[in-house]
Amino acid sequence: MNWDLGISGLGRRVISGVGRLGRATLFLVRLAPALGMAAGRVRLIIQQIYMTGVLTLVIVLVSGAFVGMILALQGYNTLVRYDAQSSLGLLVALSLTRELGPVLTALLFAGRAGSALTAEIGLMKATEQLDGMEMMAVDPLPRVVAPRFWAGWIAVPLLAMIFSAVGIIGAYVVAVGDLGLDGGVFWSQMQSGVSVSNDIIGGLLKSIVFGFVVSWIAVFEGYDAKPTSEGVSRATTRTVVSSSLAILALDFIMTAFMLRGL
Amino acid sequence: MDRPKSTEPLVAVRDLAFARDGRPIFRDLNLTVERGSVTAIMGGSGTGKTTLLSLIGGRLVPDRGTVEVAGEVVGSLSRKALFGLRRRMGMLFQSSALLTDLDVFENVAFPMREHTSLPEFLIHHLVLMKLELVGLRGARELFPAELSGGMSRRVALARAIALDPMMVMYDEPFAGLDPISMGVIVKLIRELNDALGMTSIVVTHDVVEACGIADYIYLVGDGRVIAQGTPADMQETDAPEVRQFMAGLPDGPVAFHYPAPGYLDDLLTGERP
Ligand SMILES: Nc1ncnc2c1ncn2[C@@H]1O[C@H](COP(=O)(O)OP(=O)(O)OP(=O)(O)O)[C@@H](O)[C@H]1O
Ligand SMILES: [Mg+2]
């Protein structure tokens, strides 16, 4: 193993990574006024929320239900050792709203809708649709990119809430139907233990940040893609990889701050 | 040259030089497009006809020289002014460039929705009118992926004229059309031009159609205009490069090949890098 090569290769990667981050930031600066302009075009944004929502809703529902059921089984298995199984509802609700709902939803969204967004914008570029718009005196940033950005940003928190809600229902079904816990206790523990300001808002904040970052990466990669089919497919992969890493890293940072009470 | 004298031209390209990736595409190109005329731009594949349209539309900026459209120097306009100018230009892309997430109706309606606040019923009427012109009123609900190449071309044409622009640039409008649609489209371009007082620039390879439709023809090659004149001039001239192009001969002063080392040398020594 040649150490010099390894280190210089690493250096090159870091430099190119930082370079991409810089380009993505510049893109965001250019996009900002377009975001303002597009905010008025509610119809376009709703249309895009509908498209991304349709893409992701089913997978969020199914995953949410399964994660909730798994949490109930695993949580029960631990809690029962301390005779604390009555807290199962609380455990499940906290895990979902604070952590798993936002993170898993964002990851699912990146894989399903984020990659589709990148591919869509990249293909529009490759097939001269964006050039065509420019020639029709229509700026593609507010018309094409910004509504998709808004839609992703809005959809992720909504989907995360749905994920958590479905997860809790899934956990309830397992806890009451299979494990034989008392339904009233399940809910009342949850109600008294979950704080809106801390847990729910905290989770919501996370998913808003994730929604922003995933949408940003997805539209940037699409807009920046080489206008060829290979360029688009690379960009799609990069969206999924970068988004996933960004979500997990940001989750760690935000969790650390939140647990220390900001 | 016995071209009809009118007011100042709508498009004036002067001493244009433009290079792509260091490879010169144009050096010293001069041409003008008179208001209200149909001007054909002809030339071999890869001589830069599409590039020329991009320069006129302000998508590219010349390295040297100027492109003037309606009295404004395109390369020096602010983005806002450029977009203002482009609203008055229609462009038919060589690749059609239809928006794949919209159906045929919405594609044609797109410029109207973006640039006007016409009520829905008027947009509906206008779109159907434009589609009727290109014979695709019945295809309004299809998506671009469901269209044939020639149909996409005609939808793109309907979109290019959606706002009744002062000037339309057609990049290969006849490519992929069957003889019947071709005849209709040729007539349509001419009629639109005359009835609505538009100015048209038609890029084409097709000698017969160009002669049939154009008031004036430019033959582009080797980075400049190699010949120009009315269709009659072009057919009568005995300049060898024009004769070669008009008759479609591979050998002559105009090169058919993209610049390359000698064929035999290439075969014997040329290895892939
Ligand atoms: N995006 C680009 N980047 C670099 N070079 C390009 C690009 N587009 C075109 N070229 C080069 O510019 C030259 C002119 O291309 P252009 O598309 O204008 O030709 P054309 O006359 O329209 O040809 P055709 O009749 O085949 O459409 C070609 O040699 C091509 O290789
Ligand atoms: Mg071309």
Side-chain angles (χ1 to χ4, degrees):
Chain A
M1 185 68 210
N2 188 333
W3 279 100
D4 279 0
L5 267 183
I7 290 171
S8 70
L10 185 70
R12 248 198 311 279
R13 285 197 168 199
V14 170
I15 289 171
S16 91
V18 172
R20 271 200 88 63
L21 186 62
R23 286 164 61 98
T25 309
L26 283 179
F27 174 75
L28 192 60
V29 171
R30 269 181 62 205
L31 185 61
L35 286 177
M37 273 188 260
R41 303 189 64 171
V42 179
R43 209 179 56 86
L44 280 180
I45 296 177
I46 290 181
Q47 203 181 332
Q48 287 302 324
I49 293 180
Y50 181 75
M51 307 269 261
T52 44
V54 166
L55 275 182
T56 328
L57 188 59
V58 174
I59 178 174
V60 160
L61 287 175
V62 173
S63 321
F66 274 114
V67 168
M69 293 193 287
I70 294 163
L71 271 179
L73 291 175
Q74 292 281 15
Y76 181 83
N77 190 31
T78 309
L79 290 175
V80 81
R81 298 181 199 182
Y82 308 98
D83 207 18
Q85 61 272 42
S86 57
S87 300
L88 184 63
L90 178 60
L91 174 88
V92 168
L94 285 184
S95 317
L96 281 170
T97 52
R98 296 179 63 118
E99 196 61 51
L100 294 173
V103 171
L104 291 181
T105 305
L107 290 174
L108 291 172
F109 185 86
R112 191 79 179 87
S115 57
L117 211 60
T118 303
E120 195 190 6
I121 295 178
L123 276 176
M124 289 181 90
K125 189 176 177 190
T127 52
E128 290 195 308
Q129 295 182 51
L130 299 186
D131 287 337
M133 268 189 204
E134 290 234 350
M135 275 307 295
M136 288 187 277
V138 176
D139 188 343
L141 281 180
R143 177 62 179 75
V144 173
V145 177
R148 286 167 171 76
F149 186 99
W150 276 119
W153 194 5
I154 295 170
V156 170
L158 292 178
L159 290 165
M161 283 191 259
I162 294 174
F163 187 100
S164 300
V166 172
I168 289 169
I169 294 169
Y172 175 83
V173 169
V174 170
V176 175
D178 183 33
L179 303 171
L181 293 185
D182 180 60
V185 174
F186 183 89
W187 292 121
S188 66
Q189 281 273 339
M190 196 187 300
Q191 192 186 2
S192 56
V194 177
S195 117
V196 172
S197 64
N198 229 327
D199 304 324
I200 306 228
I201 301 286
L204 189 63
L205 204 68
K206 277 187 180 176
S207 59
I208 290 174
V209 171
F210 296 156
F212 181 89
V213 171
V214 174
S215 309
W216 174 25
I217 293 176
V219 296
F220 168 69
E221 290 293 354
Y223 200 76
D224 194 57
K226 276 220 188 76
T228 59
S229 38
E230 200 213 349
V232 174
S233 81
R234 272 166 183 263
T236 311
T237 313
R238 270 205 304 267
T239 292
V240 177
V241 174
S242 323
S243 307
S244 307
L245 291 177
I247 289 164
L248 295 173
L250 284 170
D251 184 44
F252 173 71
I253 294 170
M254 282 193 288
T255 308
F257 274 106
M258 282 176 186
L259 288 181
R260 288 181 189 160
L262 282 180
Chain B
M1 271 173 281
D2 55 345
R3 56 190 314 182
K5 265 278 172 272
S6 65
T7 50
E8 92 277 21
L10 185 63
V11 178
V13 177
R14 299 208 183 85
D15 306 325
L16 173 77
F18 182 75
R20 239 172 171 161
D21 305 334
R23 213 156 42 77
I25 311 276
F26 297 122
R27 38 177 179 259
D28 260 337
L29 185 85
N30 283 285
L31 62 79
T32 55
V33 175
E34 299 298 331
R35 283 175 201 271
S37 71
V38 176
T39 301
I41 296 176
M42 309 185 60
S45 198
T47 46
K49 303 180 298 295
T50 301
T51 309
L52 180 60
L53 294 189
S54 297
L55 285 158
I56 295 175
R59 290 205 304 138
L60 300 171
V61 179
D63 296 340
R64 192 159 46 71
T66 55
V67 176
E68 257 178 53
V69 177
E72 306 193 73
V73 179
V74 175
S76 66
L77 292 177
S78 69
R79 194 171 163 83
K80 194 153 167 258
L82 182 62
F83 270 30
L85 185 61
R86 281 182 185 169
R87 283 186 198 200
R88 299 187 283 149
M89 297 184 192
M91 168 124 184
L92 170 65
F93 272 76
Q94 194 164 8
S95 60
S96 295
L98 295 176
L99 301 170
T100 42
D101 58 339
L102 301 179
D103 64 13
V104 165
F105 182 95
E106 286 300 323
N107 261 290
V108 180
F110 182 81
M112 303 178 192
R113 292 200 197 286
E114 292 296 320
H115 293 312
T116 70
S117 41
L118 295 174
E120 191 55 39
F121 78 93
L122 254 182
I123 291 190
H124 188 257
H125 281 16
L126 287 171
V127 170
L128 291 191
M129 250 168 67
K130 305 293 177 194
L131 284 175
E132 175 73 19
L133 286 177
V134 296
L136 289 176
R137 195 163 43 82
R140 75 187 95 154
E141 271 158 22
L142 298 181
F143 278 84
E146 301 165 316
L147 300 176
S148 74
M151 286 162 85
S152 313
R153 212 106 270 280
R154 284 144 69 195
V155 176
L157 200 156
R159 184 179 69 173
I161 58 173
L163 293 176
D164 297 330
M166 64 171 180
M167 172 174 104
V168 189
M169 296 186 274
Y170 303 92
D171 198 348
E172 306 279 0
F174 313 125
L177 295 187
D178 61 90
I180 301 173
S181 328
M182 173 114 101
V184 174
I185 298 299
V186 167
K187 241 179 81 202
L188 177 62
I189 292 178
R190 188 73 242 184
E191 278 170 6
L192 282 172
N193 193 82
D194 299 348
L196 300 177
M198 284 181 187
T199 302
S200 313
I201 303 178
V202 182
V203 163
T204 179
H205 288 125
D206 199 308
V207 179
V208 180
E209 300 309 331
C211 289
I213 196 177
D215 298 312
Y216 205 77
I217 297 178
Y218 285 96
L219 183 57
V220 180
D222 198 22
R224 59 198 174 82
V225 171
I226 48 183
Q228 55 180 302
T230 61
D233 292 344
M234 296 294 269
Q235 273 159 335
E236 278 160 21
T237 180
D238 29 46
E241 59 272 354
V242 183
R243 296 275 303 274
Q244 184 204 344
F245 196 85
M246 302 306 262
L249 305 172
D251 295 311
V254 183
F256 160 66
H257 292 281
Y258 191 89
Y263 191 26
L264 192 59
D265 288 349
D266 221 8
L267 288 177
L268 292 176
T269 62
E271 279 173 21
R272 299 211 58 115

